[in-house]
């Protein structure tokens, strides 16, 4: 038989690579750096959630949430929104609360649990978007840790607000839009399919619009960022753009029409028109006037987290530049060869000029990152230029930053968490007691000197609430079925602010009014903090205005309407029996509220305030620490303003 063919032996590898081929970079060790470990990130997230969620669920509701809660109860009991409970916003958020209250009952814990569920859904969608944009498992884990270290530990002022809830439709619609653009470049898509997908996307945008119309700014930013790429997926770019835009408008119109149908059918349409035609006329002027005061605070709303905005905004612009969304081209570069990879690794090691770590492998991820950057920048622009000077309006910027850093594989989030730990240690160490050693006294003096609101130190060096021993000491009590008011005060952050709820003192007022059998239309909670009494006592307010001072200060006509309704609600014609006032709202010196005269009111109450409602009524009860005052309504209201000037607590 013939001999088998000879197989030449495999050549021996050279002792070293040719000079022209650089040696490949050594493989990176996995898990050496904590910020590169998904396991460490998840452990941090679980630790913050375990420390933060139980107290979060027991915190009192802010006055805004109480207003929406009263409005939802009014609708569920057959009332008409705006006519019976005044509101300056679109009704989407109140609609959602109606469903929650009907399904889960009247407790504050139910609303807070849903708030956490909405936040969890927001994080899930955001991280799906970040994963498409190139986020690693470690980056996503640390993004969750950032959210867990941030949201449960901020003031109750920021919880159950529309801005965080409208993030869910915004992120869902933005991710949907990116996927539609990517799918159109992967395979041919008919105009009918484009119209159908755009309509669904428009429906999601429309849902966000009913929560807060500011969503339109972010929607335009995301649409504009991807418009050119979408047009480039067709041989007829102009027609594709028109069809896409028409579908989005159609989807938004469908949702708006459904909402308007409900408004008309329930008799809410006319009261809504009155709000937007006669009451909200000064909103834009107020926003413009506040801008010079508002924009310097952009980095200080949520210390130290907001400081990272100075990093996130330039990073987002770099993402836009790298993605070049204004170009119609969809590039699919070939995988680099081993020689190219080695050369790139050596160049990166020598020059260190790359701002990203590492660059996404294809144009799809680069464009996804540009789309997320457009969403973030659109939201920042909307918050800075169109929002009021309220902290809750800037919470979504911080949440989106975590996703932005994850998409870019930047370890800013673990650095922020580590910074919180370091500064917390500094604050805890700065203790000045008789037993403190000299170095600790010196550190305490240095900390007091620098910890001022007008300095950078105040925004950068804070005590993270998870390490606050006084608050953490109430953690076991959060699991008990009975919730004493002392617990709610202990875990709250703003109970001693004039819009915050002092649960201990308000409980005494509630007990007093309950003993007197107060009923529907017999109670007026004149200031913001006592709003919670309406739901606790299960009564309807005597007047439709809850944020009374906000409504009355919109203009002369608006003040006249508030006074007219108040006059009709009090004796001799009206049913109102009691009014609850909050001295924190009108006196900046809280220590003086218990120095009272024969009339039961503090001596330090402004003379110009005394003849005005509610202080011109008879005092019948004071809360134990003197903050809340119950007055029997027995005469016409007279003037009902809060004068500006010394003593006003803004």
């Amino acid at each position: 038989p013939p001999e088998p063919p000879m197989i030449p032996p495999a050549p021996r590898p050279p002792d070293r690579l040719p000079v022209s081929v650089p040696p490949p970079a050594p493989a990176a060790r996995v898990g050496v750096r904590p910020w590169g470990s998904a396991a460490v990130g998840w452990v941090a997230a679980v630790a913050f959630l375990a420390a933060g969620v139980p107290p979060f669920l027991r915190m009192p509701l802010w006055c805004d949430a109480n207003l929406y809660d009263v409005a939802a109860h009014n609708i569920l009991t057959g009332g008409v929104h705006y006519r019976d409970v005044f509101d300056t916003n679109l009704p989407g958020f109140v609609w959602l609360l109606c469903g929650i209250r009907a399904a889960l009952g009247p407790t504050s814990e139910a609303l807070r649990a849903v708030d956490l569920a909405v936040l969890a859904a927001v994080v899930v969608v955001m991280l799906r978007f970040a994963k498409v944009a190139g986020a690693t498992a470690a980056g996503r884990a640390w993004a969750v840790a950032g959210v867990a270290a941030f949201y449960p530990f901020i003031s109750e002022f920021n919880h159950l607000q529309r801005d965080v809830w409208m993030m869910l439709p915004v992120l869902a619609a933005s991710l949907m839009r990116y996927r539609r653009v990517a799918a159109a470049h992967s395979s041919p898509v008919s105009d009918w399919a484009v119209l159908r997908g755009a309509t669904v996307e428009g429906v999601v945008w429309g849902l966000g619009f009913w929560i807060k119309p500011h969503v339109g700014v972010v929607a335009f930013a995301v649409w504009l960022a991807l418009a050119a790429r979408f047009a480039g997926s067709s041989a007829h770019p102009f027609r594709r753009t028109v069809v896409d835009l028409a579908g989005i408008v159609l989807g938004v119109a469908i949702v708006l029409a459904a909402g308007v149908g409900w408004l008309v059918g329930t008799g809410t349409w006319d009261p809504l028109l009155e709000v937007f035609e006669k009451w909200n006329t000064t909103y834009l002027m107020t926003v413009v006037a506040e801008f010079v005061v508002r924009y310097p605070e952009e980095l200080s709303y949520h210390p130290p987290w907001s400081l990272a905005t100075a990093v996130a905004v330039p990073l987002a612009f770099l993402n836009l530049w790298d993605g070049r969304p204004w170009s119609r081209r969809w590039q699919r570069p070939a995988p680099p060869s081993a020689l190219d990879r080695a050369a790139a690794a050596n160049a990166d090691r020598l020059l260190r000029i790359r701002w990203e770590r590492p660059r996404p492998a294809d144009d799809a991820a680069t464009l996804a990152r540009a789309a997320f950057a457009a969403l973030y920048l659109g939201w920042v622009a909307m918050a800075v230029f169109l929002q009021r000077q309220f902290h809750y309006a800037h919470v979504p910027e911080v949440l989106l930053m975590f996703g932005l850093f994850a998409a870019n594989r930047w370890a800013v989030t673990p650095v922020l968490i580590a910074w919180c730990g370091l500064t917390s240690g500094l604050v805890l160490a700065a203790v000045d007691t008789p037993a403190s050693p000299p170095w600790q006294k010196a550190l305490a003096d240095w900390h007091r000197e620098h910890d001022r609101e007008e300095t950078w130190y105040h925004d950068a060096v804070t005590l993270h609430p998870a390490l606050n021993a006084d608050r953490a000491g109430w953690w076991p009590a959060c699991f008990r079925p009975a919730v004493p008011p002392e617990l709610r005060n202990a875990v709250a952050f703003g109970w001693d602010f004039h819009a915050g709820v002092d649960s201990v003192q308000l409980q005494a007022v509630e007990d007093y009014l309950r003993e007197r059998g107060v009923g529907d239309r017999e109670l007026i909670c004149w200031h913001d903090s006592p709003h919670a009494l309406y739901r606790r006592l299960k009564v309807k307010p005597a007047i439709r205005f809850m944020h009374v001072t906000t409504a009355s200060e919109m203009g002369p006509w608006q003040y006249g309407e508030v006074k007219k309704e108040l006059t009709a609600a009090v004796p001799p014609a009206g049913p109102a029996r009691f009014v609850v006032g909050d001295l924190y709202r009108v006196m900046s010196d809280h220590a003086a509220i218990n120095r009272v005269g024969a009339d039961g009111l503090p001596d330090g109450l402004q003379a110009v305030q005394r003849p005005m409602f509610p202080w011109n009524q008879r005092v019948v009860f004071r809360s134990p620490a003197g903050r809340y005052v119950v007055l029997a309504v027995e005469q016409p209201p007279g003037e009902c303003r809060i004068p500006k000037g010394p003593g006003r607590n803004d």
Side-chain angles (χ1 to χ4, degrees), residues 446-457:
W446 183 84
H447 174 66
R448 280 194 300 268
E449 180 182 354
H450 289 81
D451 188 25
R452 298 171 183 169
E453 292 189 2
E454 63 271 14
T455 65
W456 66 268
Y457 184 89

Side-chain angles (χ1 to χ4, degrees), residues 40 81 88 95 170 184 202 210 213 230 267 289 346 380 422 429 471 568 594 646:
V40 176
H81 195 43
T88 58
W95 290 342
V170 167
W210 277 116
F230 206 6
N346 286 337
V380 171
L422 290 173
R471 188 173 186 267
N594 283 313

Side-chain angles (χ1 to χ4, degrees), residues 15-28 337-347 349:
D15 294 336
R16 62 178 182 175
L17 294 173
V19 177
S20 59
V21 180
S337 64
L339 179 62
D340 293 334
R341 288 195 300 270
N346 286 337
R349 186 165 58 250

Side-chain angles (χ1 to χ4, degrees), residues 159-338:
H159 302 150
L160 277 161
Q161 295 285 3
R162 295 172 297 149
D163 295 80
V164 171
W165 286 38
M166 77 173 179
M167 287 182 69
L168 186 55
V170 167
L171 282 163
S174 301
L175 180 58
M176 187 183 304
R177 177 157 188 78
Y178 163 76
R179 286 178 170 170
R180 290 177 54 233
V181 174
H185 279 274
S186 299
S187 59
V189 180
S190 66
D191 290 341
W192 169 247
V194 170
L195 180 65
R196 185 173 62 249
T199 303
V200 176
E201 179 188 331
V203 167
V204 180
W205 286 118
L207 295 174
F209 178 86
W210 277 116
I211 299 176
K212 199 165 188 177
H214 298 68
V215 71
V217 176
V218 187
F220 177 74
V222 175
W223 179 86
L224 186 64
L226 298 179
R229 289 294 183 92
F230 206 6
S233 65
S234 172
H236 305 282
F238 179 76
R239 186 174 70 187
R240 172 140 299 182
T241 301
V242 171
V243 171
D244 175 55
L245 188 58
I248 294 175
V249 172
L250 176 61
V252 173
I254 291 172
V255 177
L256 294 184
V260 170
W262 181 90
L263 293 170
V264 173
T266 57
T268 314
W269 178 250
D270 290 336
L272 172 67
L273 288 181
E274 178 188 331
V275 167
F276 282 89
E277 290 177 354
K278 297 182 178 180
W279 291 88
N280 288 353
T281 54
T282 60
Y283 177 83
L284 186 59
M285 292 184 293
T286 302
V287 170
V288 174
E290 289 179 347
F291 179 73
V292 294
V293 181
R294 188 173 64 251
Y295 83 87
E297 298 186 3
E298 178 64 19
L299 302 182
S300 61
Y301 283 110
H302 300 287
W305 311 96
S306 293
L307 291 173
T309 305
V311 177
V313 170
L315 177 61
F317 277 113
L318 286 172
N319 288 165
L320 286 178
W321 175 259
D322 186 57
R324 289 169 173 77
W326 54 84
S327 172
R328 294 180 183 177
R329 297 179 57 189
W330 187 277
Q331 302 173 355
R332 295 184 179 87
S337 64

